[in-house]
Amino acid sequence: MSTVSNTSTTSFLGSYSGITSDTIDQLIAAESGKLTQYQNNQTKLNNEKDAWRDVQTRLDNLSGKLDGLQDEATFNAKTVTSSDGGRVAATVGTTAVPGNYKIEVTQLATQTRLTSGTIAAAAGKKSDADLALTGTLTLTNQDGKPSDEITIETTDSLKDIIGKINKQSKTTGISATVIGEQLVLSDSKMGARSIEASGSLAESLGLNKNATGAAQAKQTAGQSAKIMVNNDIEITQDSNTLTDAIEGLTLTLKEAGTTTVTVAEDLDKPIAAVKDFISQYNSALSFIGDQLDVGDPSAADNKTGKLVGNSSLMQLQSSLRSLMTTQVKNGNAAGDYSSDLGISVDRYGQLTLDEGKLTALLKENPTAAASFFEAEVDTGKTVTKDGITEKVMAKVGLSQKMATLLNSYVDKNDGIIATKNKTYDNLIADITGKIGLFNERMETKRAQYVATFTALDKAMMEAESQLSYLTSQLGTSGQS
């Protein structure tokens, strides 16, 4: 029995009935309303998921700005200047006390050096020439820490010997170099210290301090640094970098003489941090508002936000606005409301900053400004653990409260957005499966339509053939 291929079946379709592939496409399209509904729902879910992803990005950025406001260095930042950086350079930490400090450098710290006497084996030779010496050398610093025994071989030059000494510098603190035909040993630490050389080659290398004449090694003792602060406090240290001479200051001494170091409050850093926070807060709140926008319900082509009516996002919007207008109750009346810092909130929840007011508060009471963002207060409760009773403290600062709120949304494991993403993924996957099944059913129905209408065309063809045959027979019969 002969078969008709799909291609020939499709081309035969409609030959007699007039029902073509286009007709079947129209029938399938008429039954595809459910598919359109699935696709629209899937698009809506993807749009909502994308919107939540963008919300998370903005909340993450806002969290970063909150970190800056909780950083101790932000509101305790200081600036430092030196009247002569070529004499005394200074860096400042958060604990430095503002003021002027007169620094008189009376003496710089220096290293102890041991310069060898004449080295007979090196006379008239370059530093890389063999010395033809064999033996050992041990070096010991002021702390009594000796080097490992250094073995000198007959083919070693002065350059080879200093290489072996310097290999142990991290242990001994003693480094070596060659100047002319002599060895020069230096202690890495400063101050009055000593360097001792021993071993069978100590004298041959000119490192014996008890030798006589040109062979005697000469030690130049180092000295401590000495400074006078504000004309009445003398400080002596075995370094030209003083980290604890003045609280919060690191002084690097470069040259003898007098310099004035000035420490002041750094107002630019906290102001910049508050501005950055306000900018990111406004951006986040504006974006949230766009996603919740109901548009113009009366308009025929009304466009709404992707998350319009979403209760979780509405709660976030409300909570953020409330935090900016609520008293923080930090126990500091000078910085208990955002308005105390010059921050105002308009009817849309957007923040603006009166920089002059913030600057004045930072000058008069920087602690009040800092405590608005970060503060802990005693709740009056206690907790006992392992026999130790401690007070229960509450974090009431704006940054702390807002960080807690944001974390409830952006936490990668248990956050509201992470939970929603899982739900969206499940819903989208479910719809994708339904679309696949629907398309399979439509393909099956299409095949049924093609088979049915092809059979109709064949039946019509056969009927026409039979009619022609009967007509021809009747005609022949009439002629006879």
Side-chain angles (χ1 to χ4, degrees), residues 281 317-330 332 335-341 343-345 351 371-373 396-399 401-402:
Y281 175 92
Q317 181 188 54
S318 175
S319 298
L320 287 172
R321 287 183 174 183
S322 176
L323 283 173
M324 290 309 307
T325 56
T326 303
Q327 180 185 16
V328 295
K329 297 180 181 180
N330 56 14
N332 194 326
D336 215 14
Y337 289 92
S338 60
S339 58
D340 295 330
L341 281 73
I343 301 173
S344 58
V345 186
L351 309 182
S371 66
F372 173 77
F373 293 104
V396 299
L398 173 74
S399 294
K401 290 179 179 178
M402 192 172 289

Side-chain angles (χ1 to χ4, degrees), residues 37 150 199 210 358 384 392 398 426 428:
Q37 182 181 344
I150 299 169
N210 296 318
L358 177 58
T384 301
V392 176
L398 173 74
N426 290 335
I428 291 169

Side-chain angles (χ1 to χ4, degrees), residues 220-232:
T220 304
Q223 62 183 20
S224 302
K226 293 182 178 180
I227 65 170
M228 185 74 72
V229 181
N230 293 337
N231 296 323
D232 58 1

Side-chain angles (χ1 to χ4, degrees), residues 49 420-430:
K49 183 181 177 183
K420 285 187 174 294
N421 281 337
K422 292 175 185 177
T423 301
Y424 282 126
D425 288 341
N426 290 335
L427 291 173
I428 291 169
D430 181 60

Side-chain angles (χ1 to χ4, degrees), residues 31-57:
E31 298 182 47
S32 296
K34 194 66 176 178
L35 176 62
T36 301
Q37 182 181 344
Y38 285 149
Q39 291 171 334
N40 289 342
N41 286 341
Q42 192 173 58
T43 298
K44 182 175 182 294
L45 290 172
N46 277 316
N47 288 340
E48 289 179 7
K49 183 181 177 183
D50 289 344
W52 274 114
R53 183 194 62 227
D54 292 338
V55 169
Q56 171 141 6
T57 298

Side-chain angles (χ1 to χ4, degrees), residues 156-453:
D156 283 342
S157 64
L158 282 178
K159 187 176 286 187
D160 295 327
I161 292 172
I162 66 170
K164 292 181 177 182
I165 293 173
N166 290 336
K167 250 184 189 178
Q168 299 189 37
S169 290
K170 286 185 178 180
T171 302
T172 64
I174 297 172
S175 60
T177 188
V178 175
I179 299 179
E181 297 175 357
Q182 293 173 276
L183 287 172
V184 179
L185 308 181
S186 300
D187 194 325
S188 60
K189 294 182 179 179
M190 295 185 178
R193 295 165 62 80
S194 66
I195 300 173
E196 301 297 333
S198 59
S200 62
L201 287 183
E203 189 158 353
S204 297
L205 291 173
L207 296 176
N208 184 357
K209 289 187 282 186
N210 296 318
T212 59
Q216 183 184 32
K218 294 181 180 180
Q219 181 165 280
T220 304
Q223 62 183 20
S224 302
K226 293 182 178 180
I227 65 170
M228 185 74 72
V229 181
N230 293 337
N231 296 323
D232 58 1
I233 301 176
E234 185 176 58
I235 298 172
T236 301
Q237 289 193 13
D238 290 336
S239 174
N240 287 319
T241 300
L242 312 185
T243 59
D244 55 3
I246 301 173
E247 177 63 31
L249 281 178
T250 296
L251 304 175
T252 301
L253 313 182
K254 299 181 179 181
E255 185 180 287
T258 302
T259 306
T260 298
V261 173
T262 302
V263 176
E265 299 285 356
D266 184 357
L267 301 183
D268 291 339
K269 190 166 186 177
I271 290 173
V274 173
K275 282 182 173 180
D276 287 346
F277 161 71
I278 288 176
S279 175
Q280 189 58 49
Y281 175 92
N282 286 342
S283 173
L285 203 66
S286 177
F287 183 79
I288 291 171
D290 289 342
Q291 304 315 303
L292 294 172
D293 188 13
V294 297
D296 181 5
S298 64
D301 57 347
N302 182 39
K303 292 184 179 180
T304 66
K306 294 178 181 178
L307 297 172
V308 63
N310 187 284
S311 60
S312 296
L313 192 59
M314 291 171 69
Q315 180 60 47
L316 174 61
Q317 181 188 54
S318 175
S319 298
L320 287 172
R321 287 183 174 183
S322 176
L323 283 173
M324 290 309 307
T325 56
T326 303
Q327 180 185 16
V328 295
K329 297 180 181 180
N330 56 14
N332 194 326
D336 215 14
Y337 289 92
S338 60
S339 58
D340 295 330
L341 281 73
I343 301 173
S344 58
V345 186
D346 67 17
R347 65 192 184 95
Y348 300 105
Q350 294 290 296
L351 309 182
T352 55
L353 176 65
D354 181 342
E355 191 171 329
K357 190 171 183 178
L358 177 58
T359 300
L361 181 63
L362 289 170
K363 287 180 178 178
E364 296 169 9
N365 194 345
T367 301
S371 66
F372 173 77
F373 293 104
E374 183 175 27
E376 289 189 359
V377 297
D378 188 351
T379 63
K381 300 177 181 179
T382 60
V383 61
T384 301
K385 186 177 182 180
D386 298 329
I388 300 174
T389 300
E390 297 179 345
K391 293 180 179 180
V392 176
M393 306 298 288
K395 296 180 178 181
V396 299
L398 173 74
S399 294
Q400 294 161 309
K401 290 179 179 178
M402 192 172 289
T404 299
L405 170 65
L406 298 184
N407 190 61
S408 70
Y409 278 81
V410 303
D411 185 87
K412 289 180 170 50
N413 296 317
D414 304 317
I416 291 173
I417 297 177
T419 301
K420 285 187 174 294
N421 281 337
K422 292 175 185 177
T423 301
Y424 282 126
D425 288 341
N426 290 335
L427 291 173
I428 291 169
D430 181 60
I431 292 176
T432 299
K434 289 179 179 179
I435 289 174
L437 290 174
F438 185 87
N439 285 334
E440 289 177 7
R441 288 198 300 270
M442 289 299 99
E443 285 303 315
T444 299
K445 181 158 284 191
R446 177 185 294 277
Q448 291 173 347
Y449 279 143
V450 170
T452 298
F453 294 132

